Amino acid sequence: MSTSASSSATGDDDDDSGSTSTITAETTTGRHELKGESYTRTKGGVGKFIDSVTFRVGGHSWYIRYYPDGNRDESADWISVYLYLDGAGSEDDGGGVKARYKFSLFRDAAAAGDGEAPPVLIHTRTASNYSFWSADQHRRGYCRFIKATDMEEATKGGGFCIRCDVAVMKETCVETTMADSVTVPASELNQHLGALLDSKVGGDVTFDVGGEQFTAHRIQIDDVEPRVFRALLHFIYTDSLPEIDGEDEPGMAQHLLVAADKYGMQRLKLMCEAMLLKHIDTSVLATTLTLAEQHDCQGLKDGCFKFLRSPGNTKAVVESDGFQHLRSSCPSLIEEMLVKVAP
């Protein structure tokens, strides 16, 4: 399985033909299932986990770590699941592994008394491409995968299965080919949908947010401030962010990141991470790290750790008010920070 990206060039002579270099991302896929006879029988307290056996995908060993009562106090009412890379090179020696993954939770219908019925899908979440390292960044996953009450209700006291699908990527460059004579223009979807939003043509629903009304097309949004909703709606229609005042960027990015994570808008979430990294300083770093940990923003965390490596920054951050909140709300992150920042 592979995906590709291309670049084109035209020569300086009179020949109007061009050429294309294609980069193919070769992908090896595999999956593993961690099964249990009863969810309640696996419970053992916050931070207690169960590991699957190791399995091989893309020439690397992996395993699933399952926390029936959450991996820390903030996720005590949730199920936490993570994918671990078992043994690879470090980030410094280029031994990282790029992969994407999907966690799916199934109810064992037969164990619940439904005869020979196939497993029933309860919940699933898919992650974008991430790099795994064997030292301190060898795990990816979700501290809040599914609520414990939903798990209990869905499994009905019977068996369950946590399946992890893994796709390991390796990029290779292939031969150059001549370009087609027809040039496909860039997408103009953002312009068309933006005009549709502004004109309100065909709007079938009116949102009342904080006393302000918005005409749009039917979606469901909860617990969002009017200004954040306006930006979120703009993104949904245009795949871009509206103009945001420089002073308001950090606050808007924080609120939008939370909304993007809640509604599964990965591209918007990454845009917010990049925006927040532009405003990193010693006064806000601890707060930003807390936000990144709570919403699984690995790129944002890495940027914060890089900032901390600069001389003098660590001391200033530790003395900030936000650091006390970070230490109490995300204690496991302190250990990760020490590993990342230590010489």
Side-chain angles (χ1 to χ4, degrees):
M1 178 179 181
S2 64
T3 58
S4 62
S6 301
S7 62
S8 300
T10 301
D12 295 330
D13 53 21
D14 294 333
D15 187 353
D16 200 27
S17 64
S19 61
T20 299
S21 296
T22 303
I23 299 176
T24 301
E26 297 179 352
T27 305
T28 302
T29 61
R31 66 175 53 169
H32 185 76
E33 296 181 346
L34 177 62
K35 296 183 177 182
E37 295 181 355
S38 169
Y39 163 60
T40 55
R41 293 178 185 175
T42 64
K43 294 170 67 66
V46 176
K48 302 296 183 181
F49 59 84
I50 299 172
D51 287 342
S52 73
V53 299
T54 58
F55 58 97
R56 301 281 293 179
V57 178
H60 301 280
S61 295
W62 311 82
Y63 63 93
I64 300 168
R65 177 161 292 180
Y66 156 63
Y67 295 84
D69 295 293
N71 64 328
R72 54 179 181 265
D73 291 340
E74 306 89 80
S75 56
D77 297 327
W78 295 73
I79 311 301
S80 302
V81 290
Y82 290 91
L83 173 65
Y84 276 76
L85 173 63
D86 185 26
S90 67
E91 183 173 0
D92 293 334
D93 65 19
V97 179
K98 181 178 288 187
R100 63 175 179 269
Y101 58 90
K102 178 175 72 173
F103 277 107
S104 302
L105 175 64
F106 295 87
R107 175 170 65 93
D108 188 340
D114 295 338
E116 298 300 325
V120 178
L121 178 63
I122 298 173
H123 184 60
T124 185
R125 289 189 69 175
T126 303
S128 300
N129 299 343
Y130 285 102
S131 292
F132 290 76
W133 313 101
S134 64
D136 52 347
Q137 292 301 321
H138 59 310
R139 74 167 191 177
R140 306 290 183 188
Y142 306 101
C143 64
R144 296 182 176 184
F145 179 61
I146 185 173
K147 288 185 176 179
T149 52
D150 294 339
M151 176 77 161
E152 292 174 348
E153 174 64 23
T155 56
K156 300 179 180 178
F160 66 94
C161 169
I162 298 174
R163 190 179 78 193
C164 185
D165 292 83
V166 184
V168 179
M169 284 148 283
K170 180 179 180 181
E171 291 187 344
T172 56
C173 186
V174 299
E175 71 276 2
T176 300
T177 58
M178 299 306 295
D180 294 333
S181 57
V182 178
T183 301
V184 179
S187 171
E188 297 179 349
L189 177 64
N190 62 330
Q191 299 177 24
H192 295 310
L193 290 181
L196 181 64
L197 175 62
D198 293 336
S199 68
K200 303 179 182 180
V201 174
D204 59 354
V205 64
T206 299
F207 295 95
D208 191 334
V209 182
E212 197 170 346
Q213 292 188 334
F214 300 86
T215 299
H217 302 79
R218 195 177 302 276
I219 53 176
Q220 182 175 341
I221 302 293
D222 301 309
D223 303 324
V224 178
E225 296 179 7
R227 66 191 183 98
V228 179
F229 181 85
R230 185 188 302 277
L232 187 64
L233 199 61
H234 183 95
F235 179 84
I236 291 173
Y237 276 85
T238 68
D239 199 30
S240 65
L241 289 174
E243 290 188 8
I244 303 174
D245 292 339
E247 295 182 357
D248 196 35
E249 265 197 3
M252 178 65 83
Q254 290 177 359
H255 290 295
L256 276 176
L257 188 149
V258 174
D261 187 43
K262 181 177 181 180
Y263 296 106
M265 304 170 72
Q266 184 63 24
R267 172 173 156 77
L268 175 59
K269 185 178 175 181
L270 292 172
M271 292 170 67
C272 293
E273 291 185 49
M275 198 185 308
L276 286 170
L277 283 176
K278 294 193 304 181
H279 296 275
I280 285 292
D281 60 30
T282 56
S283 65
V284 301
L285 187 132
T287 302
T288 303
L289 259 179
T290 303
L291 184 73
E293 176 69 2
Q294 292 173 343
H295 295 279
D296 295 314
C297 302
Q298 192 58 49
L300 184 57
K301 284 173 61 177
D302 290 343
C304 290
F305 291 142
K306 182 177 180 180
F307 177 88
L308 283 171
R309 294 191 193 104
S310 298
N313 286 346
T314 302
K315 184 175 184 296
V317 170
V318 170
E319 293 174 350
S320 68
D321 294 335
F323 186 78
Q324 300 306 318
H325 175 65
L326 171 64
R327 187 166 62 178
S328 60
S329 61
C330 304
S332 61
L333 189 58
I334 301 299
E335 180 179 351
E336 184 180 354
M337 184 177 74
L338 291 174
V339 173
K340 275 286 190 177
V341 177

